[in-house]
Amino acid sequence: MPGSRTNFFGGVRDDFKDMNANKKLYGKDLSEYENMDLDELLDQLTPEEVDILTRDVDPDDDLMPPSQRTSYRCEKDPTGPLNRKRLIEHIQQQALNEPDRPEMVPYQQGVVRGKKWIPPPPPLAEQRLEEEIALDLGDEYESALGEANENELVDLAAILGFHSMMNQDQYHASLLGKRIESDVGWAGITRATRPKPMAPEPPNMTDPEQSIERLRQDDPDLQMLNLNNIKNMSDEQIERLCDAAASNTRLENLYMSNTGLSDRHGEHLVALIEKNNTIKEISIESNFISPAMIARLVKALLKNKTVEAFRAANQRSQVLGNKIEMEITKYVEDNPTILQMGLHFEFNDARARVSAQLQKNRDRLRLRRIGRACRNSTAGFVRRQLPV
């Protein structure tokens, strides 16, 4: 391995110096090896011994190339590029041509080979569960249950929460207080029913140009802007919208879910979050924003610390990655204002830390609200006690 001897033996030399610093190893004194020349010892090794020594490497060492982190060495020259189709055909042909191994004992029908497997008896706990449980419900309850028909027992099972004992029709009928005309009983089968037609969701009729103009004029009535599901906005419109919202002092809720946002719009969103100090809720779900841009948007929330709810789930890249999740977690832990974070975390560490920080922020807000109420009640009590 050209070029690897210096790196590997340099690390060995450093480790040997560290061992000498301890002076003892397994109870043996190492002071006599302090002045030993390792280069002289390495020159005395044969090429085979050097090759065996260099195979003992750390596979997680990032300072060495990947080809030198493994002990596997193939001396055979490559025969050519990999052809997966020819390789599979060769394996199949070899499997067909290879003869079957002869059996030591020929097969005979009806002859049992070896010992017959007998299942072990169930444990005592399961045997006790299988036994009938005798309950004394009283004469009144026993007579009522004994004379009840199956439909009445179905209603009783729904009241007690035994949903697994009922089919779907029985369950919904018991919830709505309806009676099932046919006596289906416990063995009733739910037949397929035609689904009820649902009216399609009406389109969003918000005019982006009118919204931009109202944002520029700082309209006091425009506190919530809903642009969800509007996919025909151009890049120039989104840029003007973000610029107008950045200088607005009335807007509190901005919804831009499923509007085709991507990283080219992310810079304008970052500027919007950093400049606007009145907005409290932002939703940009179901778009095409990358995990790195989401981390930048979460970092921008630290500028004014006024946003209480931020939702950016269901993007093109469903998985954020460990590095991005840890970065977002750090930004959330530094934000004392955020109360809701609409993101999906794959790793339990990030999910637990973000949840703990959000709960801490809610508790801080609740204590502040309780303290304000106590101060107001105390001030009112003092005013009532003062003479007029």
Side-chain angles (χ1 to χ4, degrees):
M1 294 182 298
S4 64
R5 176 173 176 177
T6 303
N7 296 335
F8 175 74
F9 293 119
V12 172
R13 191 178 294 108
D14 295 337
D15 295 340
F16 190 73
K17 290 180 181 179
D18 295 339
M19 288 192 303
N20 286 341
N22 296 328
K23 298 300 181 183
K24 284 189 177 183
L25 181 65
Y26 299 108
K28 295 183 179 180
D29 190 9
L30 300 178
S31 59
E32 57 179 318
Y33 302 105
E34 292 181 356
N35 300 325
M36 181 176 294
D37 190 1
L38 293 179
D39 293 334
E40 183 179 352
L41 292 176
L42 295 175
D43 293 337
Q44 297 176 5
L45 298 178
T46 62
E48 292 78 8
E49 294 173 343
V50 172
D51 183 66
I52 294 174
L53 185 60
T54 53
R55 292 183 183 181
D56 188 13
V57 296
D58 184 9
D60 297 330
D61 188 3
D62 296 337
L63 301 178
M64 298 184 65
S67 60
Q68 299 179 10
R69 299 183 205 167
T70 175
S71 60
Y72 174 75
R73 298 292 184 270
C74 182
E75 304 297 339
K76 181 181 178 181
D77 296 333
T79 57
L82 174 63
N83 191 333
R84 185 174 180 273
K85 182 178 179 181
R86 291 184 57 186
L87 177 60
I88 294 177
E89 292 176 353
H90 171 73
I91 294 175
Q92 293 177 349
Q93 190 66 27
Q94 186 177 5
L96 294 176
N97 296 335
E98 184 177 356
D100 297 334
R101 296 182 181 179
E103 297 184 356
M104 302 299 298
V105 180
Y107 171 75
Q108 296 181 4
Q109 187 176 5
V111 177
V112 179
R113 300 180 182 180
K115 296 181 180 180
K116 185 177 181 181
W117 182 80
I118 301 176
L124 296 177
E126 296 183 2
Q127 294 179 2
R128 293 173 182 174
L129 291 177
E130 294 177 358
E131 297 178 357
E132 295 184 359
I133 301 176
L135 296 177
D136 187 10
L137 300 177
D139 297 338
E140 182 180 358
Y141 292 104
E142 287 184 358
S143 61
L145 293 176
E147 298 175 358
N149 55 28
E150 291 188 353
N151 283 337
E152 293 175 348
L153 293 178
V154 167
D155 293 339
L156 180 60
I159 295 173
L160 297 178
F162 299 150
H163 303 154
S164 60
M165 301 175 63
M166 303 176 293
N167 57 34
Q168 189 175 10
D169 288 344
Q170 294 171 344
Y171 173 70
H172 289 288
S174 62
L175 289 180
L176 299 176
K178 297 181 180 179
R179 301 294 300 176
I180 301 179
E181 298 299 335
S182 60
D183 297 333
V184 293
W186 299 111
I189 300 176
T190 303
R191 297 183 178 181
T193 57
R194 185 180 298 275
K196 297 180 180 180
M198 299 294 294
E201 184 178 357
N204 193 346
M205 303 304 295
T206 305
D207 187 3
E209 288 295 336
Q210 184 181 2
S211 301
I212 294 173
E213 189 63 27
R214 293 180 64 185
L215 289 173
R216 287 179 177 175
Q217 297 176 1
D218 208 2
D219 189 354
D221 297 332
L222 185 61
Q223 297 182 359
M224 182 188 71
L225 180 58
N226 186 358
L227 299 173
N228 292 341
N229 303 323
I230 299 179
K231 299 181 180 180
N232 57 356
M233 289 191 300
S234 62
D235 295 347
E236 187 264 340
Q237 280 183 324
I238 296 177
E239 180 179 356
R240 290 191 291 113
L241 176 70
C242 294
D243 294 341
S247 59
N248 188 276
T249 59
R250 308 288 183 174
L251 186 64
E252 295 183 359
N253 302 327
L254 177 61
Y255 304 110
M256 298 183 67
S257 299
N258 195 22
T259 54
L261 297 177
S262 61
D263 285 359
R264 63 178 181 270
H265 311 122
E267 297 294 338
H268 305 293
L269 292 174
V270 170
L272 163 63
I273 296 175
E274 291 181 347
K275 294 179 181 179
N276 191 298
N277 55 5
T278 60
I279 194 166
K280 296 182 179 180
E281 183 176 0
I282 298 177
S283 177
I284 53 174
E285 296 178 331
S286 303
N287 284 299
F288 303 94
I289 302 177
S290 64
M293 183 55 66
I294 293 177
R296 291 195 57 188
L297 292 172
V298 177
K299 182 180 179 181
L301 300 178
L302 299 173
K303 180 69 174 179
N304 295 318
K305 297 181 180 179
T306 57
V307 178
E308 299 178 353
F310 179 78
R311 300 181 179 87
N314 193 26
Q315 303 294 332
R316 178 178 57 183
S317 179
Q318 297 288 344
V319 180
L320 297 176
N322 187 24
K323 182 178 178 181
I324 298 297
E325 289 189 7
M326 291 297 104
E327 186 178 356
I328 293 176
T329 301
K330 179 180 179 300
Y331 297 148
V332 173
E333 290 178 342
D334 294 339
N335 194 331
T337 312
I338 190 72
L339 302 179
Q340 298 179 10
M341 177 62 63
L343 284 174
H344 177 69
F345 295 97
E346 292 287 338
F347 297 90
N348 295 332
D349 184 22
R351 189 185 307 116
R353 289 169 59 183
V354 169
S355 299
Q357 180 63 30
L358 296 179
Q359 185 63 39
K360 187 185 300 183
N361 294 343
R362 296 190 191 102
D363 293 341
R364 186 184 299 110
L365 181 63
R366 178 177 56 85
L367 294 176
R368 189 184 304 122
R369 185 170 58 251
I370 293 175
R372 189 183 303 111
C374 292
R375 287 194 299 270
N376 294 337
S377 62
T378 303
F381 176 77
V382 172
R383 285 196 299 269
R384 287 193 299 269
Q385 298 300 323
L386 292 176
V388 181

